[in-house]
Amino acid sequence: CVSVRPNVHCIFVCARILPPLFPMMSSLDCVIIEDDPIDRELLSEYVERHDHTQLLWAVESAEAAEDRIIGSSEEVDVILLDIQLPGQSGFEMVRDLEADPAVIIITSEARYAVQAFDIDAAHFLVKPVSYERFDTALSRAEDNTQFRKRPAEQDSQSTQATRDQTI
């Protein structure tokens, strides 16, 4: 803030004028695409334990997931994705999506890590996955998703306010 009097700070005025940089934390809508029923159940339990997340659904194949995503009005924030799925691979499915959710790769094969970066995965986990590692990955995806969800209007207001402060 710019003050007309030296050594006087206007913190309270700035707090009222500037919009918050991040919106209120809302629930992340997650989906699980995992062909192994035991791993699918474990991931479901992990999602339930994590704050600020909600499991929309869990399916066993990429085709079933695409049908659910295309046929639904629900916006998916995070996909917890196995790579080795029956039919189409997880990588192929992500490339075919029109939406841009955060993707956390969860697989038993570490060799897929480079390909995970190619699809801009938010995180890469190798099975078996501990809750602590899962929690870290989902928290990072949550941070990225909250940043991406900031309204464009709020971004322009924040940018303008920052410019006003530096003048």
Side-chain angles (χ1 to χ4, degrees), residues 19-100:
L21 290 178
F22 296 98
M24 294 292 291
M25 189 82 56
S26 62
S27 174
L28 280 182
D29 292 328
C30 300
V31 299
I32 297 171
I33 307 167
E34 168 63 65
D35 60 327
D36 183 276
I38 294 171
D39 288 337
R40 197 167 50 245
E41 181 62 32
L42 179 66
L43 292 173
S44 296
E45 291 173 14
Y46 284 177
V47 169
E48 295 299 322
R49 283 178 58 185
H50 186 83
D51 292 337
H52 312 295
T53 58
Q54 170 182 300
L55 180 62
L56 295 177
W57 39 265
V59 294
E60 68 285 339
S61 72
E63 288 84 6
E66 285 180 328
D67 291 343
R68 294 286 300 261
I69 291 172
I70 292 169
S72 174
S73 62
E74 296 171 318
E75 184 176 327
V76 175
D77 296 314
V78 178
I79 296 176
L80 305 172
L81 180 66
D82 188 14
I83 296 304
Q84 296 173 318
L85 297 166
Q88 186 180 30
S89 80
F91 288 128
E92 292 169 329
M93 189 213 76
V94 169
R95 286 185 191 107
D96 291 345
L97 283 179
E98 291 180 17
D100 188 27

Side-chain angles (χ1 to χ4, degrees), residues 1 9-16:
C1 285
H9 301 284
C10 56
I11 294 170
F12 297 109
V13 174
C14 289
R16 290 186 189 145

